[in-house]
Amino acid sequence: MPIYWQATNYTELMQETWDEETFIFNPASGHTHVLNAAAAEILAILATTPTSTDQLFASLSDEIIDLDQAQLSEALNQQLSQLHTMGLIQANS
Amino acid sequence: MSTALKDLPALEERLLGRGIKFQTGPFLIHLHSDHTGIAEQLRELYPYAPVLDDGDKRPSDFTVNLHRPRGIRRWWRPQVQMRTDAQTPFLPFPLDHAFPLLEWSYNWCIATQAHQFLMLHSAVIEKDGVALIMPAQPGSGKSTLCAALMLRGWRLLSDEFGLLRPTDPELRLHSLPRPIPLKNESIEVIRNFSDEAVLGPTFKKTRKGDVAHVMASKESQLRGQESALPGWFLFPKYQAGQANSFEKLARGWTFLKVSNNSFNYKLQGARGFRAVADLVNRCPSYALQYSDLNSVIPDIEKLHQQICSKIKERAEP
């Protein structure tokens, strides 16, 4: 069974984007996070529907052309891991 | 009804007895002291602070008791201690450092209790109704620049606290006109900068080095209940030999600096985030390098005028 990721409480988050950075306040944790553009986009995707890592990879690979597949996969896993650690996404299998 | 502190009769006796309740900005402080030597510095540095008349029973925001510990320390290397609400947050100070202890005690009371405000760790100074916010950066020369601007006619809101109510749609900055503490070389810089600087005594070898306080200008003290619109952020940095240079700063960087420098951003939660973000969206932000007060002040005033004009344009229908 693939792991499906989804945003934990996206509608409750407060967000502000300046330049390439998105500042997010999570009222559930009381923490403020700074996301780069890629992480913010992944979070926005995961807010709409639970998505597997492979589906995310497919959706991002069309847009991100300056990384090869291995680099993109590594970057995606890193971003997901960070979002998970921040408590902004959760995994459902 | 109230009386200006400088005109209050029998201040020493009052401090020893029921204490005095005096107002600075939004806070009413109830001060007791068995060290009456502090009265002279209060008259010198808070002369226009309104002191409530005895019949006025308004509750104070903070109670501070400066007292001389009993025992041998009353006589041998005498000390003074601060107590507030049965707490003694600081170790005793030498008796002749009672005034700095009072000021740090007052800061401590505000920073730990006044959570009706979002408290930015900043100097705030006003001209034409618009506030310039200078977030604290250790060793930046923020207090020196703040004192110099005040001595050129700006109104001091605070050297230490940018106070705003996070639910206020205008995010107005509140006044807290207290003495500006100068450290080490800054003391002589300001003494030489203006004959109008009213400086208290220099307290040698405090925990922050030599410290002397500049009185908040008479106008700043008398207008202690007037708030100001937020205008802009300035992050000054004194750099010997450096020509004046302004650099526009990114909003994200400013947000991080301002929120991390706040006394209670985390405690304010979502409303703190919203307030700082709104403030950053409204206020342009600059870094300043300077070495000469006389030449940098006209440059700051020019930029301030441009920002005031933009605020006025936005306000017009």
Side-chain angles (χ1 to χ4, degrees), chain B residues 26-37:
Chain B
F27 304 121
L28 187 61
I29 183 166
H30 192 173
L31 173 66
H32 297 261
S33 182
D34 67 1
H35 170 50
T36 54

Side-chain angles (χ1 to χ4, degrees), chain B residues 210-228:
Chain B
D210 293 352
V211 172
H213 299 81
V214 190
M215 184 191 85
S217 65
K218 182 179 177 182
E219 189 198 4
S220 304
Q221 292 189 55
L222 292 178
R223 294 173 61 195
Q225 298 304 312
E226 289 182 35
S227 58

